[in-house]
Amino acid sequence: MTRARILIIEDESRIAQLLDRGLKCEGFQTSIAPDGRAGLASARENPPDLVILDWMLPGIDGLEVCRNLKAVGDAAILMLTARNDIQYRVNGLEAGADDYLVKPFSIDELIARVRALLRRAAPISHPEVLRFSDIALDTGTRRAYRGAVAIDLTAKEYQLLELFMRNPRQVLTRDVIYDRVWGYNFGGASNIIEVYVRYLRKKTEVQGGSRLIHTVRGMGYVLRED
Ligand code: CA
């Protein structure tokens, strides 16, 4: 998985640093530009996947930067503004912003929006057949097989199995699984992952198939052969 590159265009360095730290913690690559001119130069030189763009900037304002960004690349744009006014929101979206966040916002909210935008922007991947051990998962038909036996999966079971199949032999923490499969965090109290892992094991272990989804105590789960 490549790490998404995020450009932060924000003149208030306190906010820029806060965003920078929060996004880095989540594994994103970040860079900061203190004004629109520097931001556009950075976007041309090193095209980002997503731009967090403050509305009120010295020199070229955020709306103008937004229009220019749309002209030079296809990065998703999340605008930040202190103005909680529907009219400005409409202007921002017309200028090409993909989403909008009103200051003050929580870093968790911002990260959730960033993830949603990046998911939306992700290209639709070509169908392929993922294989691990004797399991095959067809991402086109969304059907799974263990050996020659077809396994019927619900939508969530499919997503969970696909996540394991794309990351074999890697321990997937509960947080990562929540984020990738459910798109939000249940806050640690939910046992929904355990429930779905149990369903998947039941379905993949019929007819005496060996266990492939293992619990790593205190950490999460891993797809491996023993
Ligand atoms: Ca500002």
Side-chain angles (χ1 to χ4, degrees):
M1 248 166 287
T2 57
R3 296 194 299 153
R5 188 195 307 279
I6 299 179
L7 170 61
I8 301 160
I9 308 178
E10 164 66 273
D11 58 311
E12 286 168 75
S13 71
R14 189 183 58 83
I15 295 178
Q17 295 299 334
L18 183 81
L19 295 175
D20 188 59
R21 267 201 309 277
L23 290 163
K24 278 207 175 93
C25 275
E26 297 292 316
F28 296 108
Q29 283 179 273
T30 53
S31 49
I32 299 175
D35 60 46
R37 197 172 303 280
L40 287 168
S42 167
R44 279 198 198 91
E45 195 174 306
N46 205 350
D49 299 298
L50 184 140
V51 180
I52 297 175
L53 174 61
D54 188 35
W55 186 303
M56 298 291 280
L57 290 169
I60 322 168
D61 81 358
L63 274 187
E64 197 53 41
V65 175
C66 185
R67 283 192 197 95
N68 280 294
L69 281 171
K70 281 289 159 185
V72 299
D74 54 3
I77 298 175
L78 173 60
M79 286 208 60
L80 304 179
T81 182
R83 298 167 174 168
N84 188 2
D85 185 316
I86 189 68
Q87 184 55 44
Y88 291 116
R89 180 187 162 95
V90 170
N91 286 346
L93 296 176
E94 277 174 0
D98 298 282
D99 199 3
Y100 204 89
L101 205 52
V102 175
K103 291 177 178 178
F105 50 82
S106 77
I107 190 77
D108 289 347
E109 169 74 13
L110 177 115
I111 284 163
R113 300 283 191 99
V114 163
R115 287 198 192 288
L117 283 173
L118 289 171
R119 266 197 298 272
R120 234 194 284 162
I124 295 168
S125 55
H126 295 291
E128 57 189 314
V129 179
L130 306 173
R131 293 179 194 281
F132 181 81
S133 182
D134 56 350
I135 291 191
L137 185 67
D138 186 324
T139 66
T141 61
R142 299 197 149 222
R143 298 216 57 176
Y145 299 85
R146 178 120 200 210
V149 182
I151 304 167
D152 271 324
L153 298 172
T154 64
K156 280 287 172 240
E157 289 166 358
Y158 170 85
Q159 287 180 322
L160 184 56
L161 184 57
E162 185 184 2
L163 179 64
F164 280 119
M165 298 285 285
R166 288 194 186 280
N167 301 279
R169 298 178 201 92
Q170 291 178 45
V171 176
L172 299 176
T173 63
R174 294 166 52 90
D175 282 350
V176 164
I177 297 173
Y178 276 133
D179 184 66
R180 302 291 169 74
V181 178
W182 280 273
Y184 56 95
N185 199 316
F186 283 83
S190 167
N191 68 342
I192 195 154
I193 294 178
E194 288 68 20
V195 170
Y196 274 86
V197 164
R198 209 180 306 142
Y199 292 157
L200 270 187
R201 282 177 176 160
K202 205 168 163 190
K203 290 187 175 183
T204 56
E205 293 169 17
V206 286
Q207 303 189 348
S210 60
R211 174 150 298 182
L212 294 174
I213 302 170
H214 298 268
T215 305
V216 182
R217 203 169 295 277
M219 298 195 58
Y221 296 92
V222 61
L223 182 71
R224 56 175 161 76
E225 287 183 290
D226 48 54

